[in-house]
Amino acid sequence: MSIHFQDLISDKNILSALKTEGYDTPTPIQAQAIPAALAERDIMASAQTGSGKTAAFLLPTLQRLTRRSEKAGKGPRALVLTPTRELAAQVEKNAQAYARNMKWFRTVSIVGGSSFGYQLRALSKPVDLVVATPGRLMDLMKSGKIDFDRLEVLVLDEADRMLDMGFIDDIETIVEATPADRQTLLFSATWDGAVGKLARKLTQNPEVIEIERVDDQGKIEEQLLYCDDKRHKNRLLDHILRDANIDQVVIFTSTKAMTEVLADELYEKGFAANCLHGDMPQGWRNRTLMDLRKGRCKILVATDVAARGIDVPTITHVINYDLPKQAEDYVHRIGRTGRAGRTGLAVTFAEVGEHIKVHKIEKYIARRLPELTIEGMEPTRKRSKGGDKPKGGKGHWGGKGGFDKDKKPYGKKEGFKSAHHKEGGKGKPKDGGKGRAFESKGKSFDARSKKAQSARKSPHA
Ligand code: AMP
């Protein structure tokens, strides 16, 4: 017998909001976390992005907030800490959706890149939920403008990631400022190392919840392509991007600079590509994400951190142009596709000398990545000792026989081209593809659309 939200949540307003959201049944993490959180237990949950973890901590927290606070004051009754602004925005958006019928509910987002004054003003009235990144929250705490006397629930979302980003001291300071009798809900991809240590320190007799990895649920098809060098990699990328089945794709590179270089190169080839990285002004990042959401951006070239929290169901493909630095980032990256019950394809490029890194990822995800080649574009360089060869036969792309005979994952038919390409005829953007350089804290990035041009004039950009 399947569980329904009515079995877990009693508040009518929340239930009706879930109906509006189109949520039928709780996901496994929700089915386990919601009852434990409602029983006011601390939680240590290892759940991946895409598992429904946000609702798993927000729904019981919102239901708890429907009871009046026993303490006077204006400070937040619940605090969610996230590693990035994008994830904070996503959490806040979800909270507002689930609380759409709770007219009294007030949420404030405390993240870098937004106006300090605005955030201070927002905190001058009583607030129920604060969603924050640790750095900016610390700045506000130092100015004495936020107090946690009323705090009942503390959530750390993607705790492992926050530690990877060096937020350990900030987190400890923030936690110190919260009441000891708070409820603590921790979500992390792993509890290995420092994050496990921190979790044990922050929680009391926690309910430990382990959920099957999203990628184990078979929604995301994975493929590994070895290449000789960057030129070969670019040829493979070009071939894949001309696949008519691609709706939207996120391409991951290892550096901020590379997101710009690659987005430029793709743009010059006629693809509608934009970049997203942490040195871009917040207004610009928001606009890029909006363009992605609205389908105006087909190809997003991004860094790991900037892309975290992107929840766009129409992303059909993820391409790991550069291998992730850490194996767990692989899971987060591919989780950008196959969302909201859809299927997705995650393609990983590795240079022949990088097979050790590939093995590390495979060890982490506890399975082999299916290795494929594209007919006529196979790598010619040999892998050093220890690197396994592709199995051949079934693992082929393109041409006759092999993998895509029936599936045709990457046909060369229509291509996947930008509006510029179509309008401009020869595949060159109208401005010659140079883009326009914008300055941001001494670093530049390129604008690639008319919208971007107008954004430059905007005081918020
Ligand atoms: P998350 O893992 O929190 O990033 O959620 C992944 C996606 O699943 C988001 O688009 C959510 O809106 C959606 N989602 C969360 N819970 C449910 C549910 N019970 N039924 C359907 N969709 C859900």
Side-chain angles (χ1 to χ4, degrees), residues 207-224:
E207 171 96 4
V208 178
I209 300 173
E210 185 88 39
I211 295 294
E212 184 191 17
R213 287 181 188 281
V214 177
D215 37 295
D216 287 343
Q217 293 167 6
K219 286 197 299 185
I220 303 168
E221 186 185 333
E222 296 164 285
Q223 297 173 352
L224 171 67

Side-chain angles (χ1 to χ4, degrees), residues 61 259 265 348:
T61 301
T259 63
E265 285 174 5
T348 300

